[in-house]
Amino acid sequence: MNDWMQMYNTPKYICFCFLFGKYQTTTIVDVLLTSYELHVTDQLLKTISFTTESICYISESGIRFACEQSKCVQGRVLLHANLFAEYKFIAEGEGDEEESSSEFKINISTLLECLSIFGQGDLVALRLSYNGYGSPLKLLLEEGGVVTDCTIRTQEQEELADIDINTTNIPCNIIMQSDWLADVFGGLDVSSDIIEFYICPDAPYFQLSTFGVGGNSVIECPKSSDVISSFKCTKPLKFKYRLKLLKPSEKALSLSVQVSVRINEVGVLSMQYLVAMGEHSVFVEY
């Protein structure tokens, strides 16, 4: 977790209540959500639902959903253990064979459809449970004494591409207001397949360029601008990216209040979005 994320490490986070009952098999996790938490969870998962499937990781440190497209772009939502009202992780296996995390692949489109249906009422409670390797994800809805259950099949997890910005130095890190970047992305030349990021210690500081049919377009933002909260750049960096690979992140951008833009020396681009929903905040990373 970087310094920027620690700035927002406050108790005002998504609240999940974990309950553990008596099951014939070990219950890895059992989550209880209220109607409001259902709405928040639904909105957060939609920010990374640019594919139909997602990898879910459950560990002692928390729960993470990750989606990937073409081995080039990844979207992740991390729900750390300290964000929950109560959290307990039960490792699978015994003794030396215990696994540090439980991982599975799930159809995130199906999960979102269930959350959307279940989250329609104002006085509802939803329990999500997972009993370990090979078990389905179970959803149990209670509303006014009426109970509805849903079972979603889990699959063997797949290895995601190793896209890690921390493999080399990160000379550039900009924290800015999301509204400005959302306006810029919304006005980009749709005929351009490429967007160029240029960040340097001196003017123009932060520059975005597109190359469309009608000509080139350049947008600049000085580090003294009111939309920039923090500007750190130790060396000039200029890299081009396919615009369609940035499109999936626009859902997170539209919900966020701030965004951290980082680029390492080999051109890996990381965009971390601070999403605030009422009293709750969470980070979505692309």
Side-chain angles (χ1 to χ4, degrees):
M1 181 180 296
N2 58 38
D3 294 339
W4 179 61
M5 297 174 72
Q6 292 176 353
M7 290 169 56
Y8 294 90
N9 189 20
T10 68
K12 295 182 179 179
Y13 286 94
I14 300 175
C15 179
F16 291 72
C17 179
F18 284 71
L19 304 177
F20 295 84
K22 296 181 179 180
Y23 294 88
Q24 293 182 349
T25 57
T26 301
T27 300
I28 302 302
V29 68
D30 196 347
V31 189
L32 182 66
L33 301 94
T34 65
S35 57
Y36 175 72
E37 291 160 352
L38 272 174
H39 171 73
V40 171
T41 303
D42 177 66
Q43 292 298 308
L44 291 173
L45 290 182
K46 283 179 179 177
T47 64
I48 63 166
S49 62
F50 52 89
T51 60
T52 58
E53 296 179 331
S54 175
I55 306 298
C56 179
Y57 304 86
I58 303 175
S59 68
E60 187 175 357
S61 62
I63 303 175
R64 177 165 60 98
F65 285 90
C67 293
E68 182 180 76
Q69 179 181 349
S70 304
K71 300 294 182 179
C72 295
V73 58
Q74 294 175 0
R76 295 182 288 267
V77 175
L78 174 62
L79 305 176
H80 200 274
N82 63 12
L83 305 183
F84 302 115
E86 183 178 343
Y87 188 92
K88 182 179 180 182
F89 170 71
I90 301 178
E92 295 187 76
E94 297 181 357
D96 296 336
E97 297 182 356
E98 282 192 358
E99 299 291 338
S100 60
S101 66
S102 293
E103 306 171 4
F104 57 85
K105 181 170 68 174
I106 191 171
N107 190 308
I108 193 171
S109 298
T110 301
L111 176 59
L112 281 170
E113 184 178 355
C114 294
L115 292 178
S116 178
I117 295 173
F118 288 171
Q120 296 299 317
D122 294 329
L123 299 174
V124 299
L126 176 66
R127 171 176 290 176
L128 284 79
S129 62
Y130 174 67
N131 291 348
Y133 180 81
S135 300
L137 182 68
K138 297 181 181 180
L139 291 79
L140 192 67
L141 170 75
E142 191 279 328
E143 182 176 12
V146 179
V147 178
T148 305
D149 66 271
C150 175
T151 300
I152 304 177
R153 181 171 60 94
T154 61
Q155 305 175 52
E156 187 80 21
Q157 74 275 12
E158 299 177 353
E159 291 294 330
L160 299 179
D162 186 14
I163 305 176
D164 187 1
I165 191 173
N166 296 308
T167 54
T168 65
N169 292 330
I170 306 174
C172 301
N173 185 2
I174 303 174
I175 301 174
M176 63 175 57
Q177 301 301 314
S178 298
D179 289 346
W180 181 86
L181 193 60
D183 290 340
V184 171
F185 278 7
L188 291 177
D189 187 349
V190 294
S191 67
S192 176
D193 295 329
I194 300 295
I195 183 170
E196 180 183 81
F197 281 69
Y198 177 39
I199 305 176
C200 59
D202 304 310
Y205 300 107
F206 181 48
Q207 177 179 286
L208 297 174
S209 304
T210 55
F211 312 92
V213 176
N216 299 344
S217 175
V218 177
I219 300 174
E220 298 178 356
C221 184
K223 68 177 183 180
S224 59
S225 172
D226 292 339
V227 303
I228 292 184
S229 303
S230 174
F231 184 94
K232 297 179 181 179
C233 183
T234 58
K235 62 183 296 187
L237 288 180
K238 182 185 292 186
F239 290 100
K240 295 180 180 180
Y241 306 91
R242 290 199 175 275
L243 196 53
K244 67 178 182 179
L245 296 180
L246 293 179
K247 285 294 184 181
S249 69
E250 290 183 355
K251 290 183 180 179
L253 178 60
S254 65
L255 288 178
S256 65
V257 293
Q258 280 191 330
V259 55
S260 171
V261 180
R262 299 184 296 160
I263 303 179
N264 69 10
E265 292 183 334
V266 297
V268 176
L269 171 65
S270 170
M271 304 184 76
Q272 294 177 322
Y273 301 96
L274 174 65
V275 179
M277 306 186 73
E279 297 182 352
H280 306 298
S281 299
V282 71
F283 290 94
V284 179
E285 183 175 7
Y286 274 81

